[in-house]
């Protein structure tokens, strides 16, 4: 069957692409596992940077938290252009023989791994200050604003073309979250055991060389995971190459600005990332300077991720029974309440802290396991409202919001450390500083999680019934398009 694509001279290409689509195997476990490995690969660099890059910059390179905070926030200004540009590229570029989104996994996997690794070169600590600063700015921007953007946006957008079925997409969201959790388990549990040690006086010491070798190993593992993602996943929903549009970036953003669920999720994602990543960043300092037990951080990280694995087998049923919006909002309410309890109780016992953290992270996991399914729902909503299918652009806007949240978390973490009087060169911190670290690690996330609950409950409009209605509309639209194509053949 030959589809009319509106692009002169492209008929042979479209015929081959259509044949490939007809012969592709049905959606199944290989796609789910492939999508899992995609986020596993992503988070070998993303979570390592989120959890430990601030520590590397302050403890190893000796930069102030304020300077690092400025770097993280300034990089997001660059992302304002690179993220949206990448989204437009994947939306409008002619598909390759292996699809529209999968080729970018193949092209960018090695650049992402290499650019992530070179951010952790321990010998840079011996350079003069201006050289260290130039190194940090260049390598961080190379990884976050260019290489990671070049693979993450196509990967995230790909979920909408692996299957048109809403249940399949929800399962992809679950498997993606499991992949992120597996990466979090490896990074959260193993890295503290490798890069920290306790000296004879009980102080927590950072081992610079091990940061570098850890980054090298994770870079290799990331490439392996990306390769598995590429070979196991298949694209099944094909759209014709979009004709060149005179729509300006301002007009495009204005159109997306009328997408109410996208705006609500962008705001929620920004606040959620601020809470989660700030908590992860501050936990390093919390266990180094408040609990004075860096090794215990491995156990806490394990407990934190356990909630995701416990919920994962039931998340599809929960989403189907209650709706994605409803379940996600409930999870954020639970997390917010728990972190506020942590703040008021001022806990000194690590086991008690771990128990409450487990309950709180169950709430966060409930939201994170379905968050990527929100994106595919929003892409469908955009098509229903405007008639345009803009997978990459919608995902790029959301990805940019996540990066802003990441930057604010890193930036705020650096600013908070400076404001509370944290001394990077000191072997141990004053008791008052340690108490302030505890406050920052519990109060700020608690407030943020409650804000996310309010956004999802009162501003996000895609309830279960609305999602089902949009799915029905698009199914009828596809049937009509297929009927028109068959008439053209006749």
């Amino acid at each position: 069957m030959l589809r009319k694509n509106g692009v002169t001279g492209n008929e042979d290409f479209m015929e081959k692409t259509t044949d490939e689509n007809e012969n592709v195997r049905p959606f199944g476990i290989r796609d789910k596992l492939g999508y899992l490995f995609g986020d596993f690969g992503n988070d070998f660099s993303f979570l390592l940077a989120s959890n430990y890059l601030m520590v590397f910059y302050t403890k190893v390179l000796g930069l102030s938290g304020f300077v690092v905070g400025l770097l993280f926030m300034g990089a997001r200004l660059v992302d304002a252009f690179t993220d949206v540009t990448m989204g437009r590229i994947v939306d409008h570029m002619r598909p390759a023989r292996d699809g529209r989104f999968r080729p970018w996994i193949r092209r960018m996997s090695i650049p992402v791994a290499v650019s992530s690794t070179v951010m952790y070169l321990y010998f840079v600590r011996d350079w003069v200050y201006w050289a260290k600063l130039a190194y940090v700015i260049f390598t961080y921007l190379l990884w976050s604003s260019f290489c990671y953007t070049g693979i993450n946006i196509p990967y995230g957008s790909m979920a909408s073309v692996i299957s048109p079925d809403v249940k399949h997409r929800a399962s992809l969201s679950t498997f993606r979250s499991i992949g992120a959790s597996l990466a979090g388990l490896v990074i959260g549990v193993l890295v503290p055991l490798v890069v920290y040690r306790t000296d004879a006086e009980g102080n927590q010491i950072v081992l610079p060389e091990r940061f570098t070798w850890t980054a090298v190993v994770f870079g290799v593992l990331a490439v392996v995971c990306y390769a598995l993602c590429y070979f196991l996943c298949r694209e099944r929903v094909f759209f014709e190459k979009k004709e060149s549009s005179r729509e300006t970036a301002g007009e495009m953003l204005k159109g997306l600005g009328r997408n109410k669920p996208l705006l609500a999720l962008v705001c929620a994602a920004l606040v959620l990332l601020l809470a989660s990543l700030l908590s992860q960043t501050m936990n390093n300092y919390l266990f180094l300077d408040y609990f004075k037990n860096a090794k215990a951080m491995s156990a806490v990280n394990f407990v934190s991720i356990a909630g995701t694995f416990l919920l994962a087998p039931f998340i599809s049923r929960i989403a189907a029974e209650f709706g994605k919006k409803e379940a996600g909002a409930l999870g954020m309410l639970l997390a917010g309440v728990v972190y506020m309890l942590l703040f008021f109780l001022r806990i000194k016992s690590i086991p008690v802290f771990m128990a409450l953290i487990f309950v709180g992270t169950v709430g966060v996991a409930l939201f994170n396991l379905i968050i990527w399914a929100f994106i595919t729902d929003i892409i469908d909503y955009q098509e229903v409202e405007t008639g345009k299918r803009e997978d990459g652009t919608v995902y790029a806007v959301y990805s940019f919001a996540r990066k802003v949240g990441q930057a604010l978390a890193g930036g705020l973490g650096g600013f908070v450390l400076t404001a509370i009087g944290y001394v990077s060169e000191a072997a141990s911190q004053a008791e008052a500083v340690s108490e302030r670290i505890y406050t920052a690690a519990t109060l700020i996330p608690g407030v943020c999680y409650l804000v996310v609950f309010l956004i999802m409950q009162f501003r996000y409009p895609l309830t279960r019934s609305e999602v089902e209605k949009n799915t029905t509309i698009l199914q009828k639209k596809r049937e009509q398009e297929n009927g028109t194509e068959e008439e053209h053949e006749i």
Side-chain angles (χ1 to χ4, degrees):
M1 182 173 68
L2 179 64
R3 289 186 297 185
K4 186 177 181 180
N5 68 339
V7 181
T8 304
N10 237 11
E11 287 79 3
D12 291 340
F13 170 77
M14 289 305 300
E15 185 174 13
K16 292 175 182 177
T17 301
T18 304
D19 290 341
E20 290 172 4
N21 189 26
E22 291 173 345
N23 297 328
V24 73
R25 57 175 169 75
F27 177 87
I29 188 63
R30 279 182 285 181
D31 298 281
K32 298 176 185 179
L33 290 175
Y35 211 63
L36 178 155
F37 279 113
D39 213 51
F40 206 157
N42 269 345
D43 283 337
F44 271 125
S45 62
F46 181 79
L47 288 183
L48 184 64
S50 300
N51 292 355
Y52 301 103
L53 191 57
M54 172 74 77
V55 175
F56 181 77
Y57 285 162
T58 57
K59 292 283 191 179
V60 177
L61 301 189
L63 301 179
S64 72
F66 182 79
V67 169
V68 177
L70 287 179
L71 168 65
F72 287 170
M73 297 185 73
R76 303 294 77 84
L77 296 176
V78 179
D79 291 348
F81 298 95
T82 60
D83 278 19
V84 176
T85 299
M86 191 65 205
R88 302 299 281 176
I89 288 173
V90 297
D91 272 345
H92 290 267
M93 190 173 179
R94 173 177 172 172
R97 298 183 68 85
D98 45 354
R100 183 181 295 277
F101 303 103
R102 286 177 65 233
W104 293 100
I105 309 294
R106 166 171 50 82
R107 295 163 184 158
M108 297 303 299
S109 58
I110 292 177
V112 169
V114 172
S115 61
S116 174
T117 300
V118 298
M119 290 195 296
Y120 300 91
L121 302 180
Y122 72 91
F123 53 80
V124 174
R125 63 182 175 173
D126 299 323
W127 294 3
V128 296
Y129 187 83
W130 68 265
K132 285 193 290 187
L133 194 58
Y135 155 81
V136 164
I137 293 172
F138 174 77
T139 55
Y140 183 73
L141 287 176
L142 177 65
W143 168 73
S144 71
S145 298
F146 294 94
C147 295
Y148 186 76
T149 290
I151 200 168
N152 184 52
I153 288 175
Y155 163 75
S157 305
M158 189 169 66
S160 64
V161 299
I162 291 178
S163 172
D165 189 282
V166 173
K167 292 180 180 178
H168 292 169
R169 293 175 177 183
S171 68
L172 288 174
S173 176
T174 299
F175 272 77
R176 175 174 184 169
S177 297
I178 293 173
S181 298
L182 288 171
L185 186 65
V186 173
I187 293 169
V189 173
L190 295 183
V191 173
L193 299 177
V194 173
V195 302
Y196 299 131
R197 71 174 176 83
T198 305
D199 66 10
E201 298 177 356
N203 296 318
Q204 305 302 304
I205 306 300
V206 175
L207 304 174
E209 296 88 348
R210 294 192 179 183
F211 266 102
T212 303
W213 287 113
T214 298
V216 170
V217 171
F218 284 172
V220 173
L221 292 175
V223 173
V224 173
C225 289
Y226 285 136
L228 289 170
C229 176
Y230 176 82
F231 287 112
L232 292 174
C233 289
R234 289 293 182 272
E235 296 185 23
R236 295 177 179 81
V237 181
F238 284 80
F239 302 96
E240 287 78 7
K241 178 182 180 295
K242 298 180 180 180
E243 297 184 54
S244 299
S245 173
R246 295 182 180 180
E247 181 183 45
T248 65
E251 291 171 340
M252 179 268 296
L253 292 174
K254 184 178 179 181
L256 291 175
R258 291 190 291 268
N259 188 322
K260 293 181 181 179
L262 177 61
L263 292 178
L265 190 64
V266 161
C267 293
L270 195 155
V271 179
L272 175 65
L273 265 293
L274 176 62
S276 299
L277 297 180
L278 177 66
S279 178
Q280 292 170 9
T281 298
M282 296 306 296
N283 273 351
N284 285 283
Y285 300 94
L286 183 69
F287 282 88
L288 286 169
D289 301 301
Y290 179 82
F291 290 116
K292 298 187 183 301
N293 190 337
K295 301 296 184 182
M297 187 162 47
S298 295
V300 172
N301 288 334
F302 178 82
V303 168
S304 298
I305 295 167
T308 298
F309 294 109
L310 289 175
L311 275 177
F314 311 103
I315 196 65
S316 295
R317 184 180 302 174
I318 292 172
E321 185 70 23
F322 300 101
K324 293 188 281 289
K325 165 188 170 169
E326 295 79 2
L330 179 62
M332 288 293 94
L333 178 61
L334 175 62
V337 170
V338 168
Y339 270 82
M340 294 305 294
L341 280 175
L342 286 170
F343 166 67
F344 286 112
L345 293 177
R346 312 298 297 186
I347 293 170
K348 297 289 186 180
S349 167
I350 292 179
V352 174
F353 187 85
M354 288 172 60
L356 285 174
I357 282 290
F358 171 76
V359 177
T361 53
V362 166
V364 177
L366 183 57
F367 189 89
N368 282 336
L369 282 167
I370 54 180
I371 193 169
W372 303 109
F374 287 137
I375 297 299
T376 54
D377 291 343
I378 290 171
I379 290 171
D380 286 348
Y381 172 89
Q382 179 77 1
E383 184 176 5
V384 168
E385 292 295 310
T386 67
K388 298 178 182 179
R389 187 78 186 183
E390 297 179 307
D391 306 66
T393 304
V394 170
Y395 187 83
V397 171
Y398 175 70
S399 176
F400 174 65
R402 286 178 59 85
K403 284 191 175 182
V404 170
Q406 181 193 11
L408 290 175
L412 183 60
F415 300 151
V416 167
L417 287 174
T418 301
I420 66 179
Y422 190 89
V423 181
S424 299
E425 296 81 7
S428 61
Q429 304 296 318
E431 184 177 352
V433 173
S434 298
E435 289 292 333
R436 293 170 195 151
I437 290 173
Y438 183 94
T439 297
T442 54
L443 177 60
I444 298 176
V447 171
C448 288
Y449 289 138
L450 292 177
V451 170
V452 175
F453 160 72
L454 293 174
I455 293 172
M456 296 304 296
Q457 183 67 28
F458 298 107
R459 303 303 300 173
Y460 185 78
L462 294 184
T463 60
R464 182 177 61 175
S465 60
E466 286 295 315
V467 170
E468 292 172 350
K469 183 176 73 174
N470 288 339
T471 300
T472 301
I473 292 172
L474 292 179
Q475 285 176 344
K476 291 180 179 178
K477 179 182 177 182
R478 304 286 183 254
E479 291 171 359
Q480 292 173 354
E481 290 173 347
N482 289 336
T484 302
E485 288 170 357
E486 291 174 0
E487 291 177 4
H488 286 163
E489 285 183 350
I490 296 172

